[in-house]
Amino acid sequence: MKKNTHFLLLMISVNLVLVHDVMAQPGTQAGITIVPKPLYLEQRSGNFVLDNETRILVSGEDRDLTAIGNQLADELEKLVGIRPDVGVAASPHAKNSIFLGLETDTLGDEGYRLTVSADRVSARGSKPAGVFYATQSILQLLPTAHGGAATALPAVEIADKPRFGWRGLMLDVGRYFYSVEYIKKYIDYLAMHKMNTFHWHLTEDHGWRIEIKKYPRLTSVGAWRAGTQFACGDRVDHTPHGGFYTQDQVREIVAYAQARYVTVVPEIEMPGHTYAALVAYPELSCTGEPAEMLINWGIQEDIYCGGKEEVFVFLENVLSEVAALFPSEFIHIGGDEAPKKRWEACSHCQKRIQDEGLEDEHELQSYFITRIERFLRTKGKRIIGWDEILEGGLAPNAAVMSWRGIEGGIEAARMHHPVVMTPHTHMYFDYYQGEPYLEPFAIGGYLPLQKVYGYEPIPDELSKEEANFILGVQGNVWAEYIHSPDYADYMTFPRVAALAEVAWTERRLKDWDDFIRRMEAQYVRYEQRGIKYAQSAFNVLYDVRRDAVGSGATVSLSTHTFQPDIRYTVDGTEPTASATSYEKPFAIAAPCTVKAATFKNGIRINKVSSYSLIGSER
């Protein structure tokens, strides 16, 4: 007991700035490479040897902890070929055991304490969620290369808890349908990074993906289209595409996520991004005209009619079924990119504006959202929407996702409404993560790994009280041009690791150089799990300083990785392992083409980047 008290005092003293991350160089097995970075970590001498006699012991007969123990055993078997038996602990001090237990602590519902010694491993939290996150850290203590019948975990003392309560990632299945199997894998990936919110974008202009019993045409018609635009212009793949999740499959996925302490937040778009529903039920639009499913992307002028009462009857019926499927506190109702052209010309909408004493169509949207918010409260739910729901007046009890920048988040927080920060500049993972000429086709934008890592979710403009309304941060994977699970992996990883550290780790503890060092092991973990991550961070970047006089320049090369082996040429040929090793900036004279790439163990691991200097700038 004295030892525990001493540890807690140590943990909370000096504002917990004693983060002592003692690591060997990457590539050695003595290094500790936990992502996201823990609040407090002290490496000690010695190791715990995991072998075929190791047991996972659970405090009491706690069902949640037993489930966590079995998940840990399954992962250990996959990663190192050892599956410990899971049982009830007679004592938390049994040798050669991994003990999982609950105890009153100061680290909150998701915090944990992890102790690894030569005799045993102890993972404790005040709630099962914390114990689960402790097991994720145990998995990251495993050596990334292993063999034989035993595996050593370094001795450590860790005290950890997340900075934010909302640590989210959104996947858009409306534009591209992903299988139940892949959705489960995606949830596994979230849990691996200690993320706790899966935002499931289920409805869109181009596909309705959730079964609604009362309205079967939503999926029999609205879930299918004749083709898919795969690049700009009229470049269309005319292969039919579609699919939807039955309510039983939704329950299965929600339960799967709950077992990994991930909350699934569904998004049912309104009043815009609803063309698939209008194709299925044209009477819900302002014009009532029949329509066909879309192939090309773009914002549609046809949206739910804000004046027809049957629209609200429809949405209340839909949301009743949705609310029964998802235990999450929030339901996302979209609210973004809803053109008002149809409403301006619609007699029903204009009558609603007049009858309700509204100023204009923006206030009609506020009326629309407020009415939905009021209904969902009867189901014990709160709404969250994109920052357009601020226009015309924010509905009571609504939460805001700030995506067009940070201004919407600032405005909502100052109004004391909950906010999730997800500005497209830093959190849209459909953007290019490397120079476009080195990357597969994407929607646009440029969001490399370092830019994600550098994001700070609490704006400086907010007071301390207002900052308390920032629930957390979220990344978004929009699927206009992401048409396979492998490509979804590519766009998500490794940027989700940077997001996880933004969401979990205290701001003062973040360190870019330390992060990319730990990521060297994380890349290996991705490979072990079959994650098709992007190697864009290994792409060589050019910083070229032209000479003040003449046609020369000085070239600096870098990557977003730790201590890269960069090889380059200045004669336009492809660099090989025997090419010049980059050590420091070098001079070139026009005309000259520099080509460079990153190598590991003598093998090129990414595409060749290039820069050409042609003549003088004058």
Side-chain angles (χ1 to χ4, degrees), residues 511-528:
D511 182 304
W512 168 250
D513 290 334
D514 181 53
F515 171 73
I516 57 175
R517 178 173 60 177
R518 285 177 282 121
M519 283 303 297
E520 292 297 300
Q522 193 76 341
Y523 292 131
V524 178
R525 296 181 189 116
Y526 291 164
E527 291 164 8
Q528 290 172 341

Side-chain angles (χ1 to χ4, degrees), residues 330 382 384 397-401 412-413 416-420 469-471:
F330 289 99
R382 299 183 66 177
I384 186 167
N397 301 307
V400 171
M401 277 193 174
H416 292 186
H417 282 255
V419 174
V420 176
F469 290 92
I470 305 296
L471 297 180

Side-chain angles (χ1 to χ4, degrees), residues 192-210:
M192 173 185 177
H193 292 84
K194 300 187 176 78
M195 306 283 281
N196 69 353
T197 304
F198 174 51
H199 175 175
W200 202 5
H201 186 82
L202 286 164
T203 70
E204 187 46 69
D205 288 319
H206 304 82
W208 184 285
R209 304 298 182 206
I210 181 171

Side-chain angles (χ1 to χ4, degrees), residues 404-415:
R404 291 180 296 177
I406 64 173
E407 292 77 17
I410 292 171
E411 181 181 351
R414 285 176 171 166
M415 298 166 63

Side-chain angles (χ1 to χ4, degrees), residues 169-171 197-201 265 267 332 386 401 474:
L169 189 65
M170 186 279 291
L171 182 63
T197 304
F198 174 51
H199 175 175
W200 202 5
H201 186 82
V265 175
E267 180 173 358
H332 204 299
W386 304 107
M401 277 193 174
Q474 177 173 294

Side-chain angles (χ1 to χ4, degrees), residues 390-403:
L390 285 157
E391 298 169 4
L394 186 58
N397 301 307
V400 171
M401 277 193 174
S402 189
W403 77 275

Side-chain angles (χ1 to χ4, degrees), residues 534-546:
Q535 294 190 333
S536 310
F538 292 89
N539 290 347
V540 178
L541 305 172
Y542 292 81
D543 182 4
V544 180
R545 306 294 174 92
R546 298 292 297 252

